[in-house]
């Protein structure tokens, strides 16, 4: 049994004994399971825009996050992953043409984590949300009993995987999704019920989502057409928030962790608490694919 599993077991025993975990002031409820220690994905669909966010709810530890650019079949992508040399665990990938894939759950099996990542990359490369591919991921989840996988096309088509079920649907402008590690927490709605600005809305939606116990960093990515010195190009505005848990009766503000954006280090002290957000920077996809160029032309004529 590795250290993370031992830690989770210890937390469970403490919880059953009625003790208070230092992560927050609230007691665990009767449906406690390992998913309380893990993560949640959020997505907002707008016309020609997607706001995606990922909240880090992992067990107490010192691991931060790396946000960096990479390459997938000659396409630029942004990757968010755990900063831990002992584990390979990617939270999310965002492609230059607006596709998104994310994963929350157990990170202890490196082989299965990479298998899931490979299936996601196949769908991102083929621009196809395949029910067969989603079912392959579901088989991996059945080994753990919890976790989530999420994939979304820029036009709103999406797929969600839980160990119990596979969901496929379509988001219309104004719609949002909440995708935690347990199917019972999956929900949809209209983001304008929370705020007019979609980034402000996703921060607020996150603050009222109840599944996470060790609620720490929320990373938000606003994918849209950007004004640059070389004209309009697609890019991502990156924001980070300390989800302090206050809107769900917790107090987790002290467990916020560091992160890196494009190799620049950001300590926990620089991350503001919900509902505020830190605009970390922008990533412009400079070498845009033919698909992006065509879509750019459409935007200019619309």
């Amino acid at each position: 049994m590795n250290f993370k599993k031992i830690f989770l077991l210890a937390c469970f025993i403490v919880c059953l004994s009625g003790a208070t975990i230092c992560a927050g002031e609230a007691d665990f409820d009767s449906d406690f399971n390992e998913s309380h220690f893990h993560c949640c994905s959020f997505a907002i669909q707008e016309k020609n825009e997607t706001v995606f966010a990922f909240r880090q709810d992992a067990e107490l530890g010192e691991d931060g996050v790396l946000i960096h650019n990479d390459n997938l079949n000659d396409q630029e992508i942004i990757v968010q992953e755990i900063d831990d040399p002992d584990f390979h665990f990617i939270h999310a990938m965002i492609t230059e043409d607006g596709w998104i894939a994310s994963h929350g759950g157990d990170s202890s099996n490196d082989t299965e984590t990479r298998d899931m990542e490979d299936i996601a990359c196949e769908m991102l490369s083929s621009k196809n949300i395949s029910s067969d591919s989603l079912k392959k991921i579901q088989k991996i989840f059945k080994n753990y009993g919890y976790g989530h996988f999420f994939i979304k096309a820029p036009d709103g088509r999406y797929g969600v995987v839980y160990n119990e079920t596979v969901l496929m649907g379509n988001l219309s402008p104004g719609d949002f999704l909440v995708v935690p590690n347990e199917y019972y927490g999956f929900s949809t709605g209209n983001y304008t019920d929370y705020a007019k600005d979609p980034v402000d809305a996703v921060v607020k939606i996150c603050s009222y989502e109840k599944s996470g116990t060790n609620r720490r960093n929320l990373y938000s990515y606003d994918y849209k057409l950007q004004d640059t010195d070389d004209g309009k190009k697609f890019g991502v505005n990156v924001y980070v928030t300390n989800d302090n848990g206050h809107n769900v009766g917790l107090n987790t503000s002290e467990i916020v962790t560091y992160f890196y954006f494009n190799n620049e280090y950001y300590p926990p002290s620089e991350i503001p608490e919900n509902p505020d957000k830190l605009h970390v920077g922008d990533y412009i996809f400079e070498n845009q694919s033919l698909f992006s160029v065509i879509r750019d032309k459409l935007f200019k004529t619309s």
Side-chain angles (χ1 to χ4, degrees), residues 18-289:
T20 300
I21 286 182
C22 62
E25 298 174 344
D27 292 331
F28 292 107
D29 55 26
S30 60
D31 67 352
F32 173 85
N33 54 58
E34 288 187 13
S35 70
H36 285 100
F37 289 105
H38 289 274
C39 308
C40 187
S41 293
F42 305 84
I44 286 176
Q45 181 71 33
E46 257 301 354
K47 184 179 180 181
N48 308 326
E49 179 181 7
T50 294
V51 174
F52 168 78
F54 190 96
R55 190 182 66 223
Q56 186 183 7
D57 296 332
E59 68 268 20
L60 299 182
E62 298 180 354
D63 296 338
V65 158
L66 304 175
I67 304 170
H68 61 93
N69 66 310
D70 209 323
N71 187 279
L72 174 63
N73 292 342
D74 297 323
Q75 183 176 206
E76 288 183 278
I77 64 172
I78 293 176
V79 176
Q80 177 185 313
E81 63 180 305
I82 289 290
D83 180 28
D84 186 338
D86 296 325
F87 291 99
H88 176 84
F89 194 84
I90 289 179
H91 288 153
M93 295 179 282
I94 304 172
T95 72
E96 66 181 38
D97 51 5
W99 282 75
I100 295 165
S102 66
H103 166 216
D106 197 306
S107 62
S108 61
N109 190 314
D110 186 77
T111 300
E112 292 185 335
T113 297
R114 290 180 185 273
D115 288 345
M116 194 180 309
E117 179 187 323
D118 289 342
I119 298 170
C121 287
E122 289 175 4
M123 288 190 283
L124 293 176
S125 297
S126 65
K127 314 303 175 192
N128 178 39
I129 301 175
S130 161
S131 60
D132 289 341
S133 296
L134 296 178
K135 289 175 182 177
K136 290 178 182 177
I137 293 175
Q138 185 186 25
K139 288 182 179 179
I140 297 174
F141 276 148
K142 286 184 180 295
N143 296 327
Y144 303 114
Y146 76 102
H148 80 268
F149 174 81
F150 171 64
I151 185 168
K152 192 185 86 66
D155 63 6
R157 288 174 292 128
Y158 70 85
V160 174
V161 178
Y162 291 104
N163 69 300
E164 305 98 329
T165 189
V166 171
L167 307 171
M168 297 180 71
N170 190 77
L171 296 175
S172 299
D175 290 346
F176 73 80
L177 280 183
V178 175
V179 189
N181 274 355
E182 293 272 1
Y183 176 44
Y184 67 76
F186 176 84
S187 64
T188 65
N190 189 293
Y191 81 83
T192 58
D193 293 338
Y194 292 84
K196 292 182 178 180
D197 179 81
V199 179
D200 291 338
V202 82
V203 172
K204 195 168 184 180
I205 291 167
C206 169
S207 76
Y208 285 101
E209 192 282 327
K210 297 180 179 180
S211 72
T213 301
N214 295 318
R215 308 163 70 97
R216 46 176 90 185
N217 303 41
L218 175 73
Y219 300 92
S220 302
Y221 303 87
D222 189 5
Y223 174 90
K224 60 185 178 182
L225 205 59
Q226 312 274 346
D227 290 317
T228 75
D229 293 338
D230 297 322
K232 290 185 178 293
K233 292 187 176 183
F234 289 100
V236 176
N237 308 131
V238 182
Y239 303 87
V240 182
T241 299
N242 176 356
D243 187 319
N244 50 34
H246 291 172
N247 284 342
V248 291
L250 298 171
N251 181 10
T252 60
S253 59
E254 297 302 317
I255 65 172
V256 64
T257 54
Y258 70 90
F259 69 95
Y260 287 89
F261 177 71
N262 283 346
N263 296 318
E264 184 174 350
Y265 173 78
Y266 290 82
S269 59
E270 292 190 19
I271 304 175
E273 292 189 32
N274 186 323
D276 294 329
K277 59 186 185 296
L278 171 68
H279 178 208
V280 181
D282 308 322
Y283 186 83
I284 305 300
F285 296 110
E286 295 292 349
N287 302 313
Q288 308 230 328
S289 66

Side-chain angles (χ1 to χ4, degrees), residues 283-299:
Y283 186 83
I284 305 300
F285 296 110
E286 295 292 349
N287 302 313
Q288 308 230 328
S289 66
L290 179 60
F291 179 87
S292 297
V293 172
I294 292 173
R295 194 165 57 163
D296 188 12
K297 297 292 185 184
L298 292 175
F299 280 143

